[in-house]
Amino acid sequence: MCIAAPAKILEIDNNVATCDFGGVKQEAKLDLVEADIGNYVLIHSGYAIEVLTEEAAKESLDTWNELFEELENE
């Protein structure tokens, strides 16, 4: 199974973004999308594959947080 996760772009250097995954920073290549600092992107296998609206990113992040809470309660 493949999962793409939403993240916020913090910095961009040579078409590589430093992104925030809820406090965890990771780099992602921007070869497949046009994005700027502050944008939310969907990241899969080290590549940003889609630029998200802030609303779509929030909805996705809320769903991820609900999943993590459920897993902690098991």
Side-chain angles (χ1 to χ4, degrees), residues 16-37:
V16 176
T18 300
C19 302
D20 177 22
F21 288 90
V24 176
K25 292 181 182 177
Q26 182 176 342
E27 291 186 345
K29 295 180 181 180
L30 298 175
D31 297 345
L32 305 175
V33 298
E34 290 186 26
D36 293 314
I37 294 171

Side-chain angles (χ1 to χ4, degrees), residues 4-68:
K8 185 174 186 176
I9 297 176
L10 302 175
E11 300 174 15
I12 299 174
D13 184 30
N14 292 323
N15 215 38
V16 176
T18 300
C19 302
D20 177 22
F21 288 90
V24 176
K25 292 181 182 177
Q26 182 176 342
E27 291 186 345
K29 295 180 181 180
L30 298 175
D31 297 345
L32 305 175
V33 298
E34 290 186 26
D36 293 314
I37 294 171
N39 288 152
Y40 286 88
V41 290
L42 209 53
I43 297 179
H44 175 67
S45 298
Y47 284 87
I49 60 172
E50 182 179 347
V51 178
L52 302 172
T53 64
E54 192 166 341
E55 182 179 323
K58 183 180 181 328
E59 183 178 318
S60 181
L61 291 168
D62 288 346
T63 301
W64 276 99
N65 289 333
E66 287 176 23
L67 173 64
F68 292 139

